[in-house]
Amino acid sequence: MSLRNPERGLFSVKGLIFTLGLIASFIFVGTLYGLIIRPGANKADLANSYGVDVGSSFSSLFVILKDYEQQICISLFLWGLMILIYKFILLNYEAKTLGRFAPESEGLDTEPEVDLLAGARSITRERAGALSAEIDSKSQQQDLHNKILPYVMARGLERYHMTGSVPEATETIMGRLEVASEQQESELSMLRYLVWAIPSIGFIGTVRGIGVALQRADEALQGDISGVTSALGVAFNSTLVALFISIVLMLLIHLLQGGQEGLILRLQTFCREQLIDKLYDREETAIREQQTEDKEQKSASQDEARSEG
């Protein structure tokens, strides 16, 4: 069992989204532009040139979206939306896994997937080994495969079974959760790149539009300002669309990141309250306390014997 996501390759769900999803988004948006947006924008421009009111709110939207920079931004946004939906689905699966192992903490009235205590007040080293094997076995199920909580619980219980040290088991559990958190954080890098790239593409449209407007400055001086206004429309519309898309995308990324951080905190709380705090072998502790008491009594007897002698 591994904490890493095993979905690799072109034909895995992750591979399809990160590779073919990008291609599919560009094809879909390109088709949408070729069939609806650009014809609608051309129709609106033609109607405006003759002073005819089209009478449709979509016509103004088509004019704003018609340029290539907006098309690229919308394509990248659709791709980022695919990645976000995939991440939200994974997050939902992890939350459901927590609900199966800790139904009480999630407000569910069901039996836990694994009964950690089985009527006892603590988890002994022997039971820790049995629980680790049981959780590893259950984690082979399709709906539990490579989920964070079963992996972390199994490794922590295995460490306690091997060493009998609660601090080492705690370090193992918290260390694995920290790795899972860092892994989730690193997988948001592509989305953060899109949030940076989309406004940059919009600014490229702004530069292009202003450059075209400057080239047509002579026409404006001669009284024909249609070319300048069209070029400035490209400049402002591309920035408007790009900034709006980046705002929406950043909001969704923050919602996803907040959900991931909240999940890790819930996992830490469950592991500390229901697992780490229960790792206490009362029998071994009683034996050690009895041995310590016997040594103290023996030492006191020897001291008395020496003092009488």
Side-chain angles (χ1 to χ4, degrees):
M1 184 179 178
S2 172
L3 190 60
R4 291 296 302 175
N5 192 333
E7 292 189 346
R8 296 180 180 179
L10 182 63
F11 297 103
S12 65
V13 176
K14 187 176 181 179
L16 289 174
I17 292 175
F18 277 83
T19 55
L20 298 184
L22 177 62
I23 300 173
S25 64
F26 271 89
I27 293 175
F28 174 77
V29 174
T31 303
L32 190 66
Y33 265 75
L35 296 178
I36 300 176
I37 295 179
R38 286 204 175 93
N42 293 333
K43 181 180 178 181
D45 289 338
L46 183 62
N48 290 331
S49 65
Y50 286 100
V52 178
D53 186 10
V54 180
S56 174
S57 58
F58 287 102
S59 299
S60 300
L61 180 62
F62 291 158
V63 171
I64 294 175
L65 298 176
K66 67 178 181 178
D67 299 302
Y68 290 103
E69 289 81 7
Q70 290 91 309
Q71 179 179 347
I72 295 174
C73 289
I74 293 175
S75 300
L76 293 177
F77 173 72
L78 184 61
W79 183 45
L81 201 59
M82 293 180 188
I83 299 175
L84 281 165
I85 292 173
Y86 172 69
K87 295 295 184 184
F88 274 114
I89 291 174
L90 290 182
L91 182 63
N92 184 53
Y93 284 158
E94 294 287 355
K96 287 183 177 179
T97 302
L98 177 59
R100 290 175 61 175
F101 282 88
E104 292 184 1
S105 64
E106 296 298 298
L108 302 176
D109 188 17
T110 58
E111 293 295 326
E113 190 74 21
V114 176
D115 189 357
L116 296 176
L117 296 178
R121 298 179 61 184
S122 62
I123 301 176
T124 63
R125 290 183 62 179
E126 291 74 15
R127 177 156 180 78
L131 286 173
S132 176
E134 181 181 357
I135 294 173
D136 272 336
S137 176
K138 288 183 176 295
S139 65
Q140 299 305 316
Q141 301 175 10
Q142 184 64 31
D143 54 348
L144 293 178
H145 190 57
N146 285 284
K147 296 300 184 291
I148 297 174
L149 183 59
Y151 172 79
V152 169
M153 291 174 63
R155 300 289 73 78
L157 290 167
E158 182 182 46
R159 174 63 64 179
Y160 180 67
H161 174 67
M162 294 172 58
T163 64
S165 172
V166 175
E168 288 192 23
T170 303
E171 183 180 356
T172 299
I173 291 172
M174 294 305 171
R176 296 298 192 279
L177 288 174
E178 184 177 352
V179 169
S181 177
E182 292 175 354
Q183 179 180 332
Q184 290 179 340
E185 183 72 18
S186 66
E187 290 179 352
L188 297 178
S189 58
M190 179 56 69
L191 292 171
R192 292 196 177 94
Y193 171 76
L194 291 180
V195 171
W196 171 86
I198 289 174
S200 299
I201 294 172
F203 291 138
I204 290 174
T206 301
V207 173
R208 183 174 72 89
I210 293 175
V212 173
L214 292 176
Q215 290 177 359
R216 296 182 176 179
D218 294 338
E219 299 177 4
L221 292 175
Q222 295 173 5
D224 182 12
I225 64 172
S226 60
V228 174
T229 56
S230 177
L232 290 177
V234 173
F236 293 120
N237 290 337
S238 61
T239 302
L240 173 65
V241 173
L243 291 177
F244 178 78
I245 288 176
S246 64
I247 289 173
V248 175
L249 193 61
M250 180 57 77
L251 173 63
L252 295 175
I253 291 173
H254 278 297
L255 291 176
L256 175 62
Q257 188 174 12
Q260 290 178 341
E261 292 175 353
L263 173 67
I264 295 298
L265 288 175
R266 285 153 59 194
L267 293 177
Q268 288 177 342
T269 302
F270 168 74
C271 289
R272 185 169 294 279
E273 293 182 353
Q274 303 300 326
L275 191 62
I276 295 174
D277 291 348
K278 308 298 183 182
L279 297 178
Y280 181 70
D281 196 329
R282 296 179 182 274
E283 295 180 0
E284 291 188 1
T285 303
I287 293 174
R288 286 195 298 267
E289 290 177 351
Q290 184 63 42
Q291 291 176 347
T292 302
E293 185 178 351
D294 291 342
K295 289 181 180 179
E296 291 177 352
Q297 291 179 354
K298 184 178 179 180
S299 177
S301 300
Q302 291 176 352
D303 291 341
E304 290 180 1
R306 280 196 295 266
S307 61
E308 290 178 356

